Amino acid sequence: MATTTPLRPPADRVTPPVERLPRTRASLGPWVVLALLVVVALLTLAPFLLVTMNAIKTPAEYSTNGPLALPEGLYLQGLIDFWHRVDFGQKLINSALISGTVAVGAVVLSLCNAFVIGIGRVRGRLAFLVLFLLANMLPHEALAYPLYYLARAVGIYDTRFAVIVIFTVIQSAFGTYLLSSVLAKFPTEILEAARVDGATKWQLLWRVIVPVSRPTLSVLFVFFFIWTWNEFFLPLIFLISNANQTVPVALGVLQGQRLMDATMSSASGLLGVLPAIVFFLLFQRTLTRGITAGAVK
Amino acid sequence: MAKQRGAVVVDRGFLPFLVPGLLLFAVVIALPLTMNIGLSFTTWTGVGTPSWVGLDNYTRLVSDAAFWASFRNILAMIVAMAIVPTVLGLFLASLLFDYVGKKLGDRPASGLRAAFYLPQVLPVAVAGVVWGWILHPTYGALNLSLRTLGLDTLTRNWLGDHSTALLSVMAVMIWFQVGYPVVIFMAGLQRVDPQLYEAAELDGANWAQRFRHITVHMIRPEIFVVLLTTTIAALKVFGPIYVLTRGGPGNATNVPSYFAYQNFFERAQVGYGAAIATVLTLIVVVFSALFLGAQSRDELREAS
């Protein structure tokens, strides 16, 4: 298989159902284009298929039949062994705990910030927005060593708590930026009505703004969860002990050590890929809506 | 109520809500960033007191071949993560929207879009794990497959060989990135007035002409955003480098973020690492500012 995605792959690899169509160029065209796109899509999906096929083969099968052969049976021992070896259950719990807490915390924090900037329209709100936007773009390397040093100094180094606090702030930088522009367009009649009813700021936020902006908040939640799940650099630095590591860190460190064989490599690939596929199936709509919401206001 | 004349009543009741956000921001972002800049003017092993050396780290950077190598490689990463995916994404999105979607319906179009997008949901480090296995010289799926197909001459140490390492990493990143522009561009195309395409079609414009004159033109804001975000991602790339090559062989695939990491945590040259991180930050900020400036000028021109 190729490692690149060619623009115009050879057409003969997928045969379009030509015979049943009238032989005019106009109606043949879409099928040829579709066939080309299907080839590109198959190339994109090939690593997923390869990793799944080979994670359920015996080592002997892999070395005699090669990676392209279909598995002869369902061999799960490789996956089970790898699971126990890295204590994968613990890694899943760590990832879920860190990502879940960060997602909740960052949504709340973004909401509070955006409430002041978008609804309260405080003086200097543009400066705040630029500040949060810059914080979102900052390379984490520029924060890494001081954060590492400070975390050691206060004794929270190598804890999930430290990673949770750091990512809550980093994610909320983006959340504040996005949510502020959403809340700036909040219907003024509703705000006015709440004000006439004598709502306090607290009531305004929790009883009026949160219910109305729930769709945006849930998109942010999903995004913060997945972004945090996928993070590698800072968790790699902060989560040294095995018991605290997240899924990507555990797999990435193992891969870097090059102690693995074919079966273990494909098993680790599959275990890393599976949660992502689950999120994809659960949140496909939210994901598509979310990345476009962030893109163009 | 002074509202009628649009006068802004300064309402201090909101400010308490900004306190936790600003406090945490100060501790997690502003303070560390300032410390990092400060450290870049010192030499420090991470223990004891840093000693001030002024611009020494920066002058050392300028004459450090490894630093220049890492910056050359970041250009390659921009090509692989921003430019190629944007171009490919434009073609794919336009074909899906203006061709497949119209002639064959939404289902095949959105199914294909999902297939292109799937790599994007992976943690990039896990994508590296998967490709690390595929590209492994002895037991990797690619070399074994080539051998099975009788193409032994094509097998090589994809990630360990000087001539192929960077290209292999680039190929992995193209695979990883392509789905993002596809999704954004397809969403952008949805707000284009269908009558534009219909009118063009009636005038006899073929797909290529519609692509050039309508698609690319109408989703220019999306192209801007995709180029900005993917270029920033390329400037910051770390996970795949750590997992696939650790910057090697030699410095063939080293990038600034990994170079900074090495100095921080492997060589205990914190000051030097901080200087690299500071330069990288400056590049990201200047680049973003230029880009956003260009974008708003573009919008103004469009509006007038």
Side-chain angles (χ1 to χ4, degrees):
Chain A
M1 55 149 296
T3 54
T4 51
T5 315
L7 202 57
R8 303 216 185 286
D12 56 353
R13 296 193 39 193
V14 167
T15 321
V18 179
E19 312 84 359
R20 286 182 202 163
L21 286 162
R23 279 186 202 148
T24 56
R25 270 187 77 210
S27 54
L28 203 67
W31 293 102
V32 174
V33 171
L34 183 65
L36 296 177
L37 288 170
V38 167
V39 171
V40 179
L42 284 178
L43 287 175
T44 314
L45 295 180
F48 293 96
L49 302 175
L50 270 179
V51 91
T52 313
M53 258 167 46
N54 291 295
I56 55 170
K57 280 181 193 168
T58 65
E61 221 184 313
Y62 186 82
S63 53
T64 48
N65 298 350
L68 296 182
L70 286 172
E72 286 165 359
L74 187 59
Y75 171 82
L76 294 177
Q77 202 53 47
L79 278 168
I80 294 167
D81 288 347
F82 183 78
W83 184 293
H84 290 307
R85 185 187 147 146
V86 300
D87 197 358
F88 197 75
Q90 183 64 47
K91 311 296 188 247
L92 281 175
I93 293 171
N94 291 339
S95 274
L97 184 78
I98 291 173
S99 311
T101 318
V102 166
V104 173
V107 167
V108 172
L109 203 59
S110 313
L111 186 66
C112 288
N113 291 341
F115 180 54
V116 184
I117 297 169
I119 303 278
R121 319 208 119 243
V122 288
R123 205 178 294 242
R125 60 182 176 278
L126 192 66
F128 279 123
L129 278 184
V130 171
L131 201 68
F132 284 113
L133 184 63
L134 281 180
N136 180 246
M137 291 174 171
L138 227 52
H140 294 169
E141 291 74 26
L143 312 172
Y145 204 90
L147 282 175
Y148 165 83
Y149 183 80
L150 292 169
R152 292 196 87 120
V154 295
I156 55 166
Y157 176 65
D158 195 16
T159 63
R160 289 166 294 193
F161 174 74
V163 176
I164 288 171
V165 172
I166 292 168
F167 279 108
T168 301
V169 179
I170 290 176
Q171 309 292 29
S172 77
F174 175 79
T176 303
Y177 173 74
L178 183 79
L179 209 50
S180 295
S181 67
V182 172
L183 291 189
K185 297 189 194 84
F186 200 87
T188 37
E189 312 86 70
I190 303 182
L191 293 177
E192 199 58 23
R195 206 170 64 91
V196 171
D197 288 348
T200 63
K201 293 290 174 294
W202 191 252
Q203 287 167 327
L204 181 67
L205 182 59
W206 291 108
R207 298 266 177 81
V208 179
I209 288 167
V210 169
V212 175
S213 16
R214 186 155 291 155
T216 316
L217 298 181
S218 60
V219 169
L220 279 183
F221 176 87
V222 169
F223 259 69
F224 293 161
F225 186 90
I226 291 177
W227 286 344
T228 311
W229 186 287
N230 290 354
E231 273 296 338
F232 186 67
F233 180 70
L234 288 175
L236 174 75
I237 291 165
F238 274 83
L239 303 174
I240 295 296
S241 61
N242 247 318
N244 292 330
Q245 277 172 354
T246 61
V247 171
V249 172
L251 299 186
V253 169
L254 261 184
Q255 173 80 19
Q257 287 168 350
R258 311 212 174 279
L259 294 170
M260 299 212 278
D261 56 28
T263 324
M264 220 185 272
S265 282
S266 53
S268 83
L270 184 62
L271 287 180
V273 163
L274 277 180
I277 303 222
V278 172
F279 299 150
F280 181 72
L281 295 175
L282 282 178
F283 300 126
Q284 209 207 331
R285 248 160 217 221
T286 323
L287 282 167
T288 339
R289 214 155 25 106
I291 68 165
T292 50
V296 175
K297 36 177 198 283
Chain B
M1 318 221 173
K3 263 218 102 181
Q4 284 98 329
R5 281 189 288 128
V8 182
V9 182
V10 180
D11 188 343
R12 303 212 164 270
F14 285 101
L15 288 177
F17 288 89
L18 205 52
V19 172
L22 283 184
L23 268 180
L24 283 165
F25 186 90
V27 174
V28 175
I29 293 177
L31 175 66
L33 184 63
T34 317
M35 281 173 72
N36 185 77
I37 296 171
L39 284 174
S40 73
F41 300 108
T42 67
T43 160
W44 191 34
T45 57
V47 285
T49 11
S51 57
W52 186 266
V53 293
L55 287 173
D56 279 10
N57 288 323
Y58 292 93
T59 48
R60 181 178 155 198
L61 269 181
V62 177
S63 52
D64 187 343
F67 173 77
W68 288 109
S70 78
F71 271 84
R72 267 199 308 280
N73 292 335
I74 213 71
L75 291 179
M77 286 298 133
I78 292 175
V79 170
M81 292 176 69
I83 295 169
V84 173
T86 303
V87 173
L88 271 177
L90 267 172
F91 277 111
L92 291 173
S94 179
L95 282 175
L96 286 177
F97 182 82
D98 185 28
Y99 212 95
V100 175
K102 277 177 190 164
K103 305 227 153 119
L104 304 166
D106 284 342
R107 273 178 162 262
S110 58
L112 286 166
R113 182 186 62 183
F116 298 137
Y117 186 65
L118 195 56
Q120 273 280 299
V121 295
L122 287 187
V124 68
V126 169
V129 171
V130 170
W131 281 98
W133 160 65
I134 293 177
L135 298 174
H136 193 276
T138 52
Y139 64 68
L142 179 57
N143 275 354
L144 280 183
S145 305
L146 287 172
R147 263 176 227 134
T148 324
L149 298 171
L151 299 167
D152 293 55
T153 46
L154 292 181
T155 62
R156 61 206 62 208
N157 188 355
W158 299 99
L159 296 167
D161 198 313
H162 240 287
S163 57
T164 52
L166 187 60
L167 287 172
S168 302
V169 174
M170 286 171 76
V172 172
M173 294 323 291
I174 293 173
W175 170 84
F176 184 74
Q177 284 286 84
V178 137
Y180 170 69
V182 171
V183 171
I184 300 245
F185 293 160
M186 279 187 78
L189 286 171
Q190 247 131 53
R191 64 179 169 74
V192 178
D193 186 353
Q195 287 184 339
L196 263 178
Y197 281 105
E198 281 162 28
E201 240 169 318
L202 282 178
D203 289 344
N206 60 25
W207 177 84
Q209 286 166 323
R210 294 199 302 273
F211 174 77
R212 238 185 65 197
H213 296 291
I214 305 179
T215 306
V216 174
H217 184 74
M218 293 307 285
I219 57 171
R220 215 159 44 178
E222 279 83 1
I223 298 176
F224 259 122
V225 169
V226 165
L227 280 177
L228 174 70
T229 47
T230 52
T231 305
I232 290 176
L235 291 171
K236 299 199 277 193
V237 69
F238 175 86
I241 300 297
Y242 179 94
V243 173
L244 287 173
T245 63
R246 299 262 174 137
N251 278 317
T253 58
N254 207 352
V255 290
S257 65
Y258 189 72
F259 192 39
Y261 171 86
Q262 284 179 313
N263 280 292
F264 283 142
F265 297 104
E266 285 168 10
R267 299 179 189 154
Q269 302 186 345
V270 178
Y272 195 50
I276 300 162
T278 305
V279 171
L280 183 61
T281 308
L282 257 177
I283 292 174
V284 169
V285 169
V286 168
F287 174 83
S288 317
L290 288 176
F291 224 86
L292 292 171
Q295 187 189 20
S296 54
R297 267 201 308 282
D298 190 61
E299 272 167 14
L300 282 177
R301 200 156 51 93
E302 284 293 289
S304 62

